[in-house]
Amino acid sequence: MVLSIILANIALSIWSISLDSIINNDGITYLAMAELFLEGDWSTANSYYNWPFYPLMIAGVSKLTFLDVGTSAYVLNTFFAITLSLGFVAVVGELSNNDRKTLLIAALVILLFPSITKYRAYIIRDFAYLSLYLWSLYFVFRFCNTRNKKHLLGWLITTGVSCLFRFEGIILLFVAPYFLLVFSSGQLQHRRKILTVLSVVIVVAATASIYWYLEQKYASSIKLAQQNGLAISNIFDLFLLNVSEQFGSSQGDPVAYFGAVFSNVGGVLYDLVRRMAVFFFFIGCYAYYRNFGLNNKLVKRIWLVYFCFNFAILVSFSLLNNLQVSRYTMATALTLLVLTPFALNRLIESLRSLTSVRKYAAYLLLALLIFIALDGLDVRTKKAHFHSAGSWLVKTMEDEATLYSNDRLLVHYADIGPRSNFKDQFSTEQLMHHINTGKILMYDYVAVSVTGRSSAENVARQTMMYSFGQPTTIIEGQDNRSVFIFKTDDPRVLLGQ
């Protein structure tokens, strides 16, 4: 089965990359950093981004295999997709006492899970984190069943390494041992004192880590808000501004804060259900309700801690950002998804004994799950025009010419070097700021991406046309997506002058 899972992952990754060869925004950062690491310019790379381990691994694969950094990243992500799939099956195996039929269902579920398929072509560190997350779950479940210290060591290693890929790993490293001790140390001497001290240490360490992380992560957002004249000096001000924007309420209104929390809990739940393609979510909830796979009381408690921990992190992130990145729900989704093979196995086993109506309903459900999985294999990109626009810029731009865009993909495909991705914030808001302050004249070319979904992008395009005349060229894409490329050497009118 292991070899089959490995080969299936390789085939699925090749399939996904062939349909969606356009790099994702995060991938731009990782590849640029990897190139800088290979050039030996560590200071520039590390000054821009605080999570260097993943791009370092990309650079390492490139160095060892002599592949370009893009291909190396795809190879690395395919490896992590394999270990993620094996970790998922290992967790299900631990919960099912390695029942062969349940393991087979688990392998099919994780290989064809739409949310995994969706991100196979992405260059992201999430696959590394999620793989280590699942293996940490396996080791902690194994420890709960055996009380063997080597399994606790396995948990410590996998959780510790996961900290190199996502911040959630650091918090999990604080939280999980505490609850493991709470649930498993009923006869521990001085239990109350130990737990009190641990509680204080965990709260202080977690708070300090979260504050440091958020200050680093949102430094650019705070700077941009200050440039736009907002009285924002730290992450707490940013949070208050988000609450105010969501509810139109003055800062300090407790009702608004309660509403913000309630609203974001609902938003996270909605994203989780959507990320699990609806049916997998309800099947997982049903499996938990029926206690499928969670017969060990300690295992069930630890599973609940992992699930609630991930959900709480998502709500906190959503509160600070006033948005939710869909793929961030994956750890929560996978935690619930490990229960679905048990429910599906029970459903398949019960087909013979069901009445006609229930049997047809069961077949319909299985057919829907198969359809959802197969439909998820269609990951064709709608961003191919970015590559075309970048190719046009490569052929047209003079040596030493400068470029600005409201989309980093255009800068990446213009191939003007990895450092260009670190010089500026590429966004529609920043583009308008450059236009209004006259800084746009620092750039020889300006490429404006318009998706048809954002009024701000249309305003930016119209403002550029008012300031610099008709675009030099227009690259058309799918679904009303376009790239308008302007040359700034002969401005008609420049706003703010």
Side-chain angles (χ1 to χ4, degrees):
M1 181 180 287
V2 172
L3 180 59
S4 299
I5 291 174
I6 292 172
L7 294 176
N9 269 289
I10 293 172
L12 287 168
S13 291
I14 292 173
W15 168 270
S16 299
I17 294 166
S18 66
L19 290 181
D20 184 7
S21 59
I22 303 301
I23 191 173
N24 54 299
N25 278 317
D26 288 350
I28 295 171
T29 297
Y30 301 137
L31 296 190
M33 290 181 68
E35 289 183 15
L36 291 173
F37 285 137
L38 289 172
E39 292 176 10
D41 191 355
W42 290 53
S43 59
T44 300
N46 288 322
S47 66
Y48 178 77
Y49 197 66
N50 295 315
W51 296 90
F53 192 70
Y54 178 62
L56 267 174
M57 293 185 74
I58 295 174
V61 172
S62 179
K63 190 76 172 179
L64 291 172
T65 61
F66 303 102
L67 297 170
D68 63 88
V69 291
T71 305
S72 299
Y74 285 131
V75 169
L76 188 63
N77 263 26
T78 301
F79 168 77
F80 284 128
I82 291 170
T83 57
L84 184 155
S85 300
L86 293 174
F88 183 88
V89 174
V91 171
V92 174
E94 183 60 31
L95 296 177
S96 66
N97 293 319
N98 292 315
D99 178 73
R100 186 168 182 80
K101 188 184 293 185
T102 308
L103 288 175
L104 179 59
I105 295 172
L108 291 173
V109 166
I110 194 62
L111 285 171
L112 297 176
F113 187 50
S115 292
I116 295 293
T117 306
K118 174 181 173 64
Y119 295 116
R120 282 184 181 275
Y122 281 46
I123 297 174
I124 48 177
R125 53 195 164 95
D126 300 57
F127 275 103
Y129 172 74
L130 292 171
S131 173
L132 289 160
Y133 172 82
L134 286 171
W135 280 106
S136 75
L137 202 58
Y138 163 77
F139 280 114
V140 76
F141 286 164
R142 191 85 178 118
F143 171 77
C144 291
N145 288 324
T146 65
R147 303 303 172 95
N148 190 320
K149 292 181 180 178
K150 70 179 182 181
H151 298 133
L152 201 57
L153 178 62
W155 173 87
L156 184 64
I157 292 172
T158 51
T159 307
V161 177
S162 75
C163 299
L164 299 173
F165 296 98
R166 287 200 65 83
F167 178 74
E168 294 93 315
I170 300 174
I171 305 300
L172 189 61
L173 198 61
F174 289 138
V175 172
Y178 173 76
F179 283 99
L180 191 63
L181 184 62
V182 169
F183 296 148
S184 64
S185 60
Q187 306 301 319
L188 182 67
Q189 191 177 13
H190 305 302
R191 182 173 183 266
R192 182 173 296 179
K193 290 182 179 178
I194 291 173
L195 293 179
T196 301
V197 172
L198 270 176
S199 298
V200 173
V201 170
I202 288 171
V203 169
V204 172
T207 302
S209 299
I210 291 171
Y211 184 82
W212 168 82
Y213 171 72
L214 294 175
E215 281 287 343
Q216 297 293 320
K217 183 177 180 63
Y218 298 107
S220 59
S221 298
I222 293 171
K223 181 179 179 181
L224 183 58
Q226 290 172 342
Q227 288 177 347
N228 291 326
L230 298 174
I232 302 295
S233 59
N234 53 53
I235 55 173
F236 299 112
D237 291 338
L238 196 62
F239 166 70
L240 294 174
L241 177 65
N242 284 337
V243 172
S244 178
E245 287 181 348
Q246 287 186 64
F247 296 93
S249 175
S250 60
Q251 297 178 4
D253 184 355
V255 176
Y257 298 150
F258 176 79
V261 173
F262 184 79
S263 173
N264 282 279
V265 167
V268 168
L269 183 60
Y270 169 78
D271 273 330
L272 176 61
V273 174
R274 188 165 61 93
R275 184 52 47 218
M276 295 190 71
V278 183
F279 291 100
F280 286 104
F281 174 82
F282 287 108
I283 292 171
C285 290
Y286 176 75
Y288 176 79
Y289 173 74
R290 294 296 301 272
N291 211 38
F292 295 157
L294 298 174
N295 300 317
N296 183 315
K297 185 180 291 187
L298 179 57
V299 167
K300 185 173 184 177
R301 288 177 174 178
I302 293 297
W303 180 93
L304 195 59
V305 166
Y306 268 71
F307 183 84
C308 293
F309 158 79
N310 283 294
F311 195 86
I313 289 291
L314 290 171
V315 172
S316 301
F317 180 87
S318 181
L319 282 167
L320 281 166
N321 284 269
N322 201 9
L323 61 88
Q324 182 60 249
V325 179
S326 185
R327 73 171 189 272
Y328 289 178
T329 60
M330 283 298 296
T332 316
L334 289 174
T335 307
L336 185 57
L337 192 69
V338 296
L339 304 183
T340 60
F342 297 94
L344 292 174
N345 188 29
R346 294 292 183 94
L347 177 63
I348 294 170
E349 288 179 346
S350 65
L351 283 175
R352 292 181 180 179
S353 60
L354 291 175
T355 61
S356 296
V357 175
R358 291 187 176 182
K359 184 179 292 187
Y360 290 138
Y363 278 124
L364 177 61
L365 175 60
L366 291 173
L368 281 171
L369 292 177
I370 293 171
F371 172 78
I372 290 169
L374 295 178
D375 184 63
L377 293 175
D378 184 6
V379 291
R380 284 173 289 188
T381 182
K382 294 182 180 180
K383 297 183 178 181
H385 62 296
F386 285 134
H387 191 281
S388 300
S391 299
W392 186 91
L393 286 164
V394 169
K395 295 176 183 178
T396 306
M397 286 178 62
E398 305 83 5
D399 292 341
E400 306 301 326
T402 54
L403 169 70
Y404 187 83
S405 175
N406 62 329
D407 197 300
R408 298 178 68 206
L409 277 173
L410 291 165
V411 179
H412 171 77
Y413 282 114
D415 196 24
I416 53 179
R419 290 172 183 79
S420 62
N421 291 293
F422 300 154
K423 290 180 179 179
D424 211 329
Q425 295 294 318
F426 298 104
S427 67
T428 303
E429 292 78 7
Q430 190 72 0
L431 171 59
M432 290 303 300
H433 173 74
H434 284 336
I435 294 172
N436 293 331
T437 58
K439 291 182 179 179
I440 199 65
L441 292 175
M442 296 166 52
Y443 302 92
D444 301 303
Y445 290 85
V446 178
V448 182
S449 169
V450 178
T451 61
R453 296 176 299 176
S454 169
S455 59
E457 291 172 349
N458 279 315
V459 170
R461 174 182 60 83
Q462 292 167 4
T463 306
M464 286 296 298
M465 292 178 69
Y466 180 65
S467 301
F468 300 100
Q470 291 297 316
T472 304
T473 189
I474 301 174
I475 309 295
E476 299 285 351
Q478 299 180 37
D479 298 339
N480 296 320
R481 299 165 188 256
S482 303
V483 174
F484 296 81
I485 301 177
F486 298 87
K487 201 169 183 183
T488 63
D489 53 358
D490 185 24
R492 294 178 178 181
V493 179
L494 195 58
L495 301 181
Q497 295 264 304

Tab-separated table of all heavy atoms in Angstrom, residues 403-447:
chain	number	residue	atom	x	y	z
A	403	LEU	N	9.944	48.391	-13.015
A	403	LEU	CA	8.561	47.960	-13.182
A	403	LEU	C	7.834	48.003	-11.851
A	403	LEU	O	8.390	47.622	-10.820
A	403	LEU	CB	8.525	46.533	-13.743
A	403	LEU	CG	7.167	45.815	-13.733
A	403	LEU	CD1	6.205	46.452	-14.744
A	403	LEU	CD2	7.356	44.324	-14.039
A	404	TYR	N	6.584	48.469	-11.889
A	404	TYR	CA	5.704	48.327	-10.725
A	404	TYR	C	4.392	47.703	-11.181
A	404	TYR	O	3.935	47.925	-12.306
A	404	TYR	CB	5.408	49.669	-10.038
A	404	TYR	CG	4.647	49.465	-8.745
A	404	TYR	CD1	5.330	49.149	-7.584
A	404	TYR	CD2	3.258	49.522	-8.711
A	404	TYR	CE1	4.641	48.904	-6.403
A	404	TYR	CE2	2.572	49.282	-7.537
A	404	TYR	CZ	3.268	48.970	-6.384
A	404	TYR	OH	2.597	48.706	-5.223
A	405	SER	N	3.800	46.932	-10.295
A	405	SER	CA	2.513	46.325	-10.591
A	405	SER	C	1.717	46.177	-9.307
A	405	SER	O	2.277	46.167	-8.200
A	405	SER	CB	2.701	44.946	-11.242
A	405	SER	OG	1.444	44.314	-11.424
A	406	ASN	N	0.410	46.065	-9.441
A	406	ASN	CA	-0.430	45.782	-8.280
A	406	ASN	C	-0.558	44.286	-8.042
A	406	ASN	O	-1.327	43.850	-7.184
A	406	ASN	CB	-1.827	46.399	-8.468
A	406	ASN	CG	-2.571	45.819	-9.658
A	406	ASN	OD1	-1.953	45.431	-10.646
A	406	ASN	ND2	-3.887	45.780	-9.567
A	407	ASP	N	0.188	43.473	-8.784
A	407	ASP	CA	0.193	42.027	-8.596
A	407	ASP	C	1.622	41.507	-8.715
A	407	ASP	O	2.302	41.744	-9.717
A	407	ASP	CB	-0.699	41.339	-9.637
A	407	ASP	CG	-1.045	39.912	-9.236
A	407	ASP	OD1	-0.119	39.101	-9.067
A	407	ASP	OD2	-2.254	39.613	-9.082
A	408	ARG	N	2.061	40.782	-7.708
A	408	ARG	CA	3.446	40.299	-7.678
A	408	ARG	C	3.735	39.289	-8.781
A	408	ARG	O	4.887	39.107	-9.181
A	408	ARG	CB	3.740	39.664	-6.322
A	408	ARG	CG	3.630	40.611	-5.151
A	408	ARG	CD	3.897	39.898	-3.836
A	408	ARG	NE	5.273	39.485	-3.748
A	408	ARG	CZ	5.689	38.448	-3.000
A	408	ARG	NH1	4.815	37.724	-2.343
A	408	ARG	NH2	6.964	38.133	-2.949
A	409	LEU	N	2.707	38.587	-9.242
A	409	LEU	CA	2.920	37.610	-10.309
A	409	LEU	C	3.512	38.257	-11.553
A	409	LEU	O	4.373	37.679	-12.222
A	409	LEU	CB	1.590	36.932	-10.664
A	409	LEU	CG	1.143	35.758	-9.790
A	409	LEU	CD1	-0.261	35.330	-10.173
A	409	LEU	CD2	2.113	34.594	-9.907
A	410	LEU	N	3.038	39.462	-11.859
A	410	LEU	CA	3.536	40.155	-13.040
A	410	LEU	C	5.007	40.524	-12.888
A	410	LEU	O	5.787	40.430	-13.838
A	410	LEU	CB	2.695	41.408	-13.289
A	410	LEU	CG	1.258	41.121	-13.744
A	410	LEU	CD1	0.397	42.370	-13.624
A	410	LEU	CD2	1.258	40.607	-15.174
A	411	VAL	N	5.385	40.940	-11.690
A	411	VAL	CA	6.787	41.275	-11.436
A	411	VAL	C	7.652	40.012	-11.526
A	411	VAL	O	8.753	40.020	-12.077
A	411	VAL	CB	6.934	41.937	-10.051
A	411	VAL	CG1	8.389	42.274	-9.767
A	411	VAL	CG2	6.080	43.197	-9.975
A	412	HIS	N	7.116	38.907	-11.000
A	412	HIS	CA	7.853	37.641	-11.041
A	412	HIS	C	8.098	37.186	-12.470
A	412	HIS	O	9.230	36.839	-12.845
A	412	HIS	CB	7.072	36.574	-10.272
A	412	HIS	CG	7.630	35.195	-10.424
A	412	HIS	ND1	8.759	34.775	-9.748
A	412	HIS	CD2	7.224	34.129	-11.182
A	412	HIS	CE1	9.026	33.521	-10.075
A	412	HIS	NE2	8.112	33.109	-10.951
A	413	TYR	N	7.030	37.199	-13.285
A	413	TYR	CA	7.169	36.692	-14.650
A	413	TYR	C	7.880	37.680	-15.577
A	413	TYR	O	8.277	37.307	-16.692
A	413	TYR	CB	5.800	36.316	-15.217
A	413	TYR	CG	5.319	34.984	-14.690
A	413	TYR	CD1	4.200	34.910	-13.858
A	413	TYR	CD2	5.997	33.813	-14.986
A	413	TYR	CE1	3.773	33.690	-13.346
A	413	TYR	CE2	5.580	32.594	-14.479
A	413	TYR	CZ	4.467	32.532	-13.668
A	413	TYR	OH	4.056	31.322	-13.165
A	414	ALA	N	8.050	38.913	-15.130
A	414	ALA	CA	8.862	39.857	-15.903
A	414	ALA	C	10.351	39.548	-15.781
A	414	ALA	O	11.174	40.096	-16.530
A	414	ALA	CB	8.594	41.292	-15.447
A	415	ASP	N	10.691	38.676	-14.828
A	415	ASP	CA	12.052	38.142	-14.698
A	415	ASP	C	13.106	39.238	-14.561
A	415	ASP	O	14.092	39.287	-15.309
A	415	ASP	CB	12.373	37.256	-15.907
A	415	ASP	CG	13.589	36.359	-15.663
A	415	ASP	OD1	13.875	36.088	-14.480
A	415	ASP	OD2	14.232	35.947	-16.636
A	416	ILE	N	12.882	40.138	-13.589
A	416	ILE	CA	13.843	41.226	-13.375
A	416	ILE	C	14.671	40.994	-12.107
A	416	ILE	O	15.235	41.914	-11.535
A	416	ILE	CB	13.129	42.591	-13.311
A	416	ILE	CG1	12.003	42.577	-12.275
A	416	ILE	CG2	12.602	42.980	-14.667
A	416	ILE	CD1	11.285	43.903	-12.141
A	417	GLY	N	14.725	39.724	-11.666
A	417	GLY	CA	15.601	39.367	-10.554
A	417	GLY	C	14.855	39.194	-9.243
A	417	GLY	O	13.827	39.831	-9.016
A	418	PRO	N	15.357	38.315	-8.375
A	418	PRO	CA	14.660	38.025	-7.119
A	418	PRO	C	14.539	39.212	-6.174
A	418	PRO	O	13.577	39.309	-5.417
A	418	PRO	CB	15.511	36.912	-6.492
A	418	PRO	CG	16.866	37.061	-7.120
A	418	PRO	CD	16.600	37.537	-8.505
A	419	ARG	N	15.495	40.135	-6.250
A	419	ARG	CA	15.454	41.265	-5.313
A	419	ARG	C	14.298	42.222	-5.608
A	419	ARG	O	13.861	42.959	-4.726
A	419	ARG	CB	16.782	42.023	-5.361
A	419	ARG	CG	17.938	41.243	-4.749
A	419	ARG	CD	19.278	41.917	-4.987
A	419	ARG	NE	20.360	41.115	-4.452
A	419	ARG	CZ	20.873	40.042	-5.061
A	419	ARG	NH1	20.389	39.671	-6.226
A	419	ARG	NH2	21.861	39.366	-4.512
A	420	SER	N	13.808	42.194	-6.832
A	420	SER	CA	12.696	43.084	-7.185
A	420	SER	C	11.446	42.763	-6.375
A	420	SER	O	10.593	43.619	-6.158
A	420	SER	CB	12.378	42.957	-8.679
A	420	SER	OG	11.962	41.633	-8.994
A	421	ASN	N	11.336	41.522	-5.919
A	421	ASN	CA	10.169	41.130	-5.134
A	421	ASN	C	10.230	41.636	-3.702
A	421	ASN	O	9.256	41.550	-2.971
A	421	ASN	CB	10.038	39.605	-5.122
A	421	ASN	CG	9.671	39.061	-6.478
A	421	ASN	OD1	8.587	39.303	-6.977
A	421	ASN	ND2	10.594	38.343	-7.103
A	422	PHE	N	11.394	42.131	-3.287
A	422	PHE	CA	11.559	42.580	-1.907
A	422	PHE	C	11.568	44.095	-1.760
A	422	PHE	O	11.624	44.610	-0.653
A	422	PHE	CB	12.883	42.030	-1.338
A	422	PHE	CG	12.964	40.535	-1.327
A	422	PHE	CD1	14.193	39.903	-1.362
A	422	PHE	CD2	11.819	39.761	-1.291
A	422	PHE	CE1	14.274	38.520	-1.349
A	422	PHE	CE2	11.890	38.382	-1.274
A	422	PHE	CZ	13.124	37.757	-1.305
A	423	LYS	N	11.522	44.815	-2.876
A	423	LYS	CA	11.715	46.261	-2.807
A	423	LYS	C	10.463	47.024	-2.416
A	423	LYS	O	10.536	48.127	-1.908
A	423	LYS	CB	12.230	46.775	-4.156
A	423	LYS	CG	13.664	46.353	-4.475
A	423	LYS	CD	14.087	46.900	-5.827
A	423	LYS	CE	15.510	46.510	-6.148
A	423	LYS	NZ	15.926	47.009	-7.487
A	424	ASP	N	9.298	46.463	-2.707
A	424	ASP	CA	8.078	47.244	-2.544
A	424	ASP	C	6.929	46.334	-2.185
A	424	ASP	O	7.006	45.115	-2.328
A	424	ASP	CB	7.758	47.982	-3.847
A	424	ASP	CG	7.056	49.313	-3.583
A	424	ASP	OD1	6.330	49.389	-2.580
A	424	ASP	OD2	7.237	50.243	-4.380
A	425	GLN	N	5.847	46.936	-1.708
A	425	GLN	CA	4.592	46.226	-1.481
A	425	GLN	C	3.772	46.321	-2.761
A	425	GLN	O	3.436	47.406	-3.213
A	425	GLN	CB	3.827	46.863	-0.319
A	425	GLN	CG	4.526	46.729	1.008
A	425	GLN	CD	4.606	45.287	1.474
A	425	GLN	OE1	3.650	44.540	1.346
A	425	GLN	NE2	5.743	44.900	2.013
A	426	PHE	N	3.488	45.186	-3.360
A	426	PHE	CA	2.752	45.182	-4.623
A	426	PHE	C	1.276	44.950	-4.337
A	426	PHE	O	0.846	43.837	-4.043
A	426	PHE	CB	3.307	44.101	-5.557
A	426	PHE	CG	4.749	44.319	-5.920
A	426	PHE	CD1	5.744	43.567	-5.335
A	426	PHE	CD2	5.098	45.298	-6.838
A	426	PHE	CE1	7.075	43.773	-5.659
A	426	PHE	CE2	6.420	45.512	-7.179
A	426	PHE	CZ	7.416	44.759	-6.580
A	427	SER	N	0.496	46.021	-4.428
A	427	SER	CA	-0.940	45.945	-4.178
A	427	SER	C	-1.611	47.128	-4.866
A	427	SER	O	-0.955	48.116	-5.228
A	427	SER	CB	-1.240	45.979	-2.671
A	427	SER	OG	-0.899	47.243	-2.131
A	428	THR	N	-2.915	47.023	-5.032
A	428	THR	CA	-3.660	48.117	-5.649
A	428	THR	C	-3.626	49.361	-4.773
A	428	THR	O	-3.515	50.493	-5.275
A	428	THR	CB	-5.112	47.680	-5.908
A	428	THR	OG1	-5.101	46.501	-6.728
A	428	THR	CG2	-5.894	48.770	-6.614
A	429	GLU	N	-3.704	49.166	-3.460
A	429	GLU	CA	-3.660	50.303	-2.533
A	429	GLU	C	-2.328	51.033	-2.632
A	429	GLU	O	-2.273	52.274	-2.657
A	429	GLU	CB	-3.882	49.828	-1.091
A	429	GLU	CG	-5.286	49.306	-0.802
A	429	GLU	CD	-5.500	47.887	-1.316
A	429	GLU	OE1	-4.519	47.255	-1.775
A	429	GLU	OE2	-6.653	47.426	-1.280
A	430	GLN	N	-1.240	50.257	-2.715
A	430	GLN	CA	0.084	50.871	-2.807
A	430	GLN	C	0.273	51.546	-4.168
A	430	GLN	O	0.920	52.587	-4.262
A	430	GLN	CB	1.167	49.806	-2.592
A	430	GLN	CG	2.574	50.368	-2.438
A	430	GLN	CD	2.776	51.060	-1.099
A	430	GLN	OE1	1.872	51.127	-0.287
A	430	GLN	NE2	3.964	51.588	-0.875
A	431	LEU	N	-0.320	50.976	-5.214
A	431	LEU	CA	-0.264	51.599	-6.537
A	431	LEU	C	-0.925	52.977	-6.505
A	431	LEU	O	-0.367	53.965	-7.027
A	431	LEU	CB	-0.951	50.708	-7.568
A	431	LEU	CG	-1.158	51.310	-8.969
A	431	LEU	CD1	0.167	51.705	-9.598
A	431	LEU	CD2	-1.901	50.322	-9.876
A	432	MET	N	-2.107	53.066	-5.887
A	432	MET	CA	-2.793	54.349	-5.791
A	432	MET	C	-1.981	55.343	-4.947
A	432	MET	O	-1.950	56.542	-5.254
A	432	MET	CB	-4.185	54.155	-5.198
A	432	MET	CG	-5.164	53.442	-6.111
A	432	MET	SD	-5.389	54.267	-7.707
A	432	MET	CE	-6.011	55.860	-7.169
A	433	HIS	N	-1.341	54.831	-3.909
A	433	HIS	CA	-0.484	55.700	-3.089
A	433	HIS	C	0.658	56.266	-3.930
A	433	HIS	O	0.964	57.472	-3.848
A	433	HIS	CB	0.073	54.897	-1.912
A	433	HIS	CG	1.092	55.640	-1.104
A	433	HIS	ND1	0.755	56.656	-0.236
A	433	HIS	CD2	2.447	55.522	-1.043
A	433	HIS	CE1	1.847	57.131	0.336
A	433	HIS	NE2	2.886	56.462	-0.143
A	434	HIS	N	1.275	55.429	-4.764
A	434	HIS	CA	2.366	55.891	-5.626
A	434	HIS	C	1.872	56.919	-6.642
A	434	HIS	O	2.567	57.902	-6.932
A	434	HIS	CB	2.990	54.703	-6.361
A	434	HIS	CG	3.875	53.853	-5.506
A	434	HIS	ND1	4.495	54.315	-4.375
A	434	HIS	CD2	4.255	52.550	-5.634
A	434	HIS	CE1	5.218	53.352	-3.835
A	434	HIS	NE2	5.080	52.275	-4.581
A	435	ILE	N	0.671	56.698	-7.189
A	435	ILE	CA	0.121	57.639	-8.165
A	435	ILE	C	-0.147	58.989	-7.500
A	435	ILE	O	0.233	60.053	-8.007
A	435	ILE	CB	-1.170	57.085	-8.793
A	435	ILE	CG1	-0.871	55.842	-9.630
A	435	ILE	CG2	-1.841	58.141	-9.669
A	435	ILE	CD1	-2.108	55.124	-10.126
A	436	ASN	N	-0.793	58.948	-6.345
A	436	ASN	CA	-1.202	60.182	-5.661
A	436	ASN	C	-0.022	60.990	-5.136
A	436	ASN	O	-0.122	62.205	-4.971
A	436	ASN	CB	-2.158	59.859	-4.515
A	436	ASN	CG	-3.493	59.323	-5.011
A	436	ASN	OD1	-3.929	59.662	-6.109
A	436	ASN	ND2	-4.132	58.480	-4.223
A	437	THR	N	1.090	60.319	-4.849
A	437	THR	CA	2.266	61.020	-4.321
A	437	THR	C	3.316	61.306	-5.407
A	437	THR	O	4.345	61.928	-5.111
A	437	THR	CB	2.931	60.190	-3.206
A	437	THR	OG1	3.296	58.903	-3.728
A	437	THR	CG2	1.981	60.008	-2.032
A	438	GLY	N	3.057	60.854	-6.636
A	438	GLY	CA	4.008	61.075	-7.723
A	438	GLY	C	5.144	60.076	-7.771
A	438	GLY	O	5.991	60.128	-8.672
A	439	LYS	N	5.181	59.118	-6.837
A	439	LYS	CA	6.264	58.132	-6.811
A	439	LYS	C	6.188	57.147	-7.970
A	439	LYS	O	7.156	56.433	-8.248
A	439	LYS	CB	6.246	57.361	-5.487
A	439	LYS	CG	6.634	58.199	-4.283
A	439	LYS	CD	6.654	57.356	-3.014
A	439	LYS	CE	7.074	58.198	-1.804
A	439	LYS	NZ	7.085	57.387	-0.555
A	440	ILE	N	5.051	57.140	-8.653
A	440	ILE	CA	4.894	56.206	-9.770
A	440	ILE	C	5.884	56.527	-10.889
A	440	ILE	O	6.247	55.650	-11.695
A	440	ILE	CB	3.437	56.249	-10.301
A	440	ILE	CG1	3.127	54.986	-11.115
A	440	ILE	CG2	3.181	57.494	-11.127
A	440	ILE	CD1	3.139	53.728	-10.314
A	441	LEU	N	6.359	57.780	-10.936
A	441	LEU	CA	7.327	58.179	-11.967
A	441	LEU	C	8.700	57.555	-11.739
A	441	LEU	O	9.582	57.654	-12.606
A	441	LEU	CB	7.444	59.700	-12.018
A	441	LEU	CG	6.190	60.434	-12.534
A	441	LEU	CD1	6.374	61.929	-12.433
A	441	LEU	CD2	5.896	60.024	-13.963
A	442	MET	N	8.905	56.930	-10.593
A	442	MET	CA	10.155	56.206	-10.346
A	442	MET	C	10.246	54.947	-11.219
A	442	MET	O	11.325	54.375	-11.379
A	442	MET	CB	10.246	55.797	-8.875
A	442	MET	CG	10.318	56.957	-7.896
A	442	MET	SD	10.026	56.413	-6.180
A	442	MET	CE	11.194	55.090	-6.028
A	443	TYR	N	9.112	54.528	-11.778
A	443	TYR	CA	9.060	53.284	-12.545
A	443	TYR	C	8.835	53.589	-14.024
A	443	TYR	O	8.051	54.476	-14.380
A	443	TYR	CB	7.941	52.380	-12.019
A	443	TYR	CG	8.106	52.037	-10.556
A	443	TYR	CD1	7.508	52.822	-9.569
A	443	TYR	CD2	8.878	50.951	-10.167
A	443	TYR	CE1	7.669	52.523	-8.226
A	443	TYR	CE2	9.046	50.643	-8.830
A	443	TYR	CZ	8.444	51.434	-7.862
A	443	TYR	OH	8.607	51.138	-6.531
A	444	ASP	N	9.519	52.841	-14.883
A	444	ASP	CA	9.388	53.036	-16.323
A	444	ASP	C	8.128	52.371	-16.875
A	444	ASP	O	7.516	52.875	-17.822
A	444	ASP	CB	10.620	52.463	-17.042
A	444	ASP	CG	11.902	53.121	-16.569
A	444	ASP	OD1	11.996	54.363	-16.657
A	444	ASP	OD2	12.805	52.400	-16.097
A	445	TYR	N	7.762	51.243	-16.289
A	445	TYR	CA	6.581	50.508	-16.729
A	445	TYR	C	5.690	50.221	-15.520
A	445	TYR	O	6.182	49.964	-14.418
A	445	TYR	CB	6.963	49.177	-17.385
A	445	TYR	CG	7.629	49.317	-18.733
A	445	TYR	CD1	9.000	49.529	-18.822
A	445	TYR	CD2	6.884	49.235	-19.911
A	445	TYR	CE1	9.624	49.653	-20.056
A	445	TYR	CE2	7.501	49.369	-21.148
A	445	TYR	CZ	8.872	49.579	-21.209
A	445	TYR	OH	9.488	49.714	-22.436
A	446	VAL	N	4.391	50.273	-15.759
A	446	VAL	CA	3.408	49.934	-14.723
A	446	VAL	C	2.421	48.948	-15.325
A	446	VAL	O	1.809	49.231	-16.367
A	446	VAL	CB	2.660	51.183	-14.202
A	446	VAL	CG1	1.623	50.765	-13.160
A	446	VAL	CG2	3.647	52.186	-13.614
A	447	ALA	N	2.290	47.787	-14.688
A	447	ALA	CA	1.360	46.748	-15.158
A	447	ALA	C	0.213	46.642	-14.154
A	447	ALA	O	0.437	46.331	-12.991
A	447	ALA	CB	2.082	45.416	-15.286
